[in-house]
Amino acid sequence: MLGRMEWLNRLVTRRYRQPHFQQARGRVLDVACGTATNARYVPDATEYVGIDVSVDMLEQAAANVDWLTRGETLREMDAQNLDFEDDSFDTVISSLSTCTFPDPVAALSEMGRVCAPDGQILLLEHGRSSVGSIARFQDWRADAHFEKHSCRWNQEPLDVVVESPLTVVESSSALLGIITAIEARPE
Ligand SMILES: C[S@@+](CC[C@H](N)C(=O)[O-])C[C@H]1O[C@@H](n2cnc3c(N)ncnc32)[C@H](O)[C@@H]1O
């Protein structure tokens, strides 16, 4: 049976993940990989490493990447304290994650630290809609949504990246401003 995130991916996020994460190259780190949905969207020629704090998610991720033959690595790890050397990845990707990290700026700093100086950081996030009535609904339900899903759904992803040490190269939004695709570099 398909889980909630897989339905969400099929109905909504797949069309944004595909073009964004196709830009990945070399050794790729997927931070807060969840069930490793992104593994199917990065090019075959890359090496995929996924980390997540949830063992349950990683078990589902292992089943999901089983059919891929790139030798994916999955590890239990906190995004805010990555157990990797500086500059050890060519591309760092992360999706639908900054809304859940207790300290998103710390997690983005870590993404910058482990990314090579000439590497790229590709984020696909959701946040506060640019449509007033939807944004007001998100604001009104923000506490209840966080309590149920541990997700700050009215957070502005671009604001969080700007607050971090990363440098935004390009960003675009879609789906009534709810989805934001961001390309950044380490500093
Ligand atoms: C909404 S899910 C997104 C999963 C996946 N990136 C995707 O796009 O389908 C958020 C994920 O963040 C993970 N997460 C939350 N806090 C984390 C942390 N501090 N370190 C690593 N992963 C974390 C959760 O376990 C969950 O898998």
Side-chain angles (χ1 to χ4, degrees), residues 21 23-31 38-39 41-43 45-51 70 72-73 84 88-94 114 120 122:
F21 296 136
Q23 302 176 77
R25 57 183 159 74
R27 190 164 187 243
V28 179
L29 174 65
D30 187 359
V31 175
N38 292 333
Y41 301 117
V42 299
T46 56
E47 178 192 342
Y48 178 92
V49 179
I51 72 102
R70 276 186 242 121
E72 289 74 14
T73 307
F84 295 112
S88 45
F89 292 91
D90 304 295
T91 307
V92 178
I93 67 174
S94 194
V114 302
Q120 53 180 349
L122 305 172

Side-chain angles (χ1 to χ4, degrees), residues 8-27:
L8 182 70
N9 185 52
R10 290 191 181 193
L11 291 172
V12 185
T13 54
R14 168 167 62 179
R15 79 191 67 162
Y16 306 111
R17 291 182 201 260
Q18 190 134 31
H20 200 45
F21 296 136
Q22 268 296 312
Q23 302 176 77
R25 57 183 159 74
R27 190 164 187 243

Side-chain angles (χ1 to χ4, degrees), residues 12-176:
V12 185
T13 54
R14 168 167 62 179
R15 79 191 67 162
Y16 306 111
R17 291 182 201 260
Q18 190 134 31
H20 200 45
F21 296 136
Q22 268 296 312
Q23 302 176 77
R25 57 183 159 74
R27 190 164 187 243
V28 179
L29 174 65
D30 187 359
V31 175
C33 65
T35 58
T37 302
N38 292 333
R40 65 187 97 150
Y41 301 117
V42 299
D44 286 345
T46 56
E47 178 192 342
Y48 178 92
V49 179
I51 72 102
D52 201 282
V53 79
S54 158
V55 173
D56 181 47
M57 285 289 185
L58 290 170
E59 279 172 8
Q60 294 179 58
N64 269 348
V65 297
D66 205 29
W67 57 275
L68 297 167
T69 50
R70 276 186 242 121
E72 289 74 14
T73 307
L74 299 169
R75 287 183 57 186
E76 183 187 346
M77 208 178 286
D78 184 350
Q80 300 154 156
N81 186 20
L82 294 174
D83 186 18
F84 295 112
E85 301 284 321
D86 294 358
D87 309 342
S88 45
F89 292 91
D90 304 295
T91 307
V92 178
I93 67 174
S94 194
S95 55
L96 315 179
S97 64
T98 55
C99 55
T100 67
F101 297 141
D103 186 344
V105 171
L108 291 165
S109 303
E110 279 292 86
M111 292 183 207
R113 181 184 66 75
V114 302
C115 185
D118 61 348
Q120 53 180 349
I121 297 157
L122 305 172
L123 308 169
L124 185 73
E125 294 297 318
H126 73 93
R128 194 168 188 269
S129 174
S130 52
V131 176
S133 53
I134 299 173
R136 281 193 294 279
F137 177 77
Q138 288 177 295
D139 293 343
W140 175 56
R141 297 295 298 164
D143 289 346
H145 187 82
F146 183 80
E147 208 164 296
K148 192 165 181 198
H149 300 291
S150 303
C151 162
R152 296 178 294 274
W153 74 342
N154 61 344
Q155 178 176 281
E156 298 274 12
L158 196 55
D159 287 354
V160 183
V161 179
V162 167
E163 207 186 312
S164 81
L166 306 184
T167 300
V168 175
V169 176
E170 205 176 326
S171 80
S172 60
S173 66
L175 201 69
L176 309 175

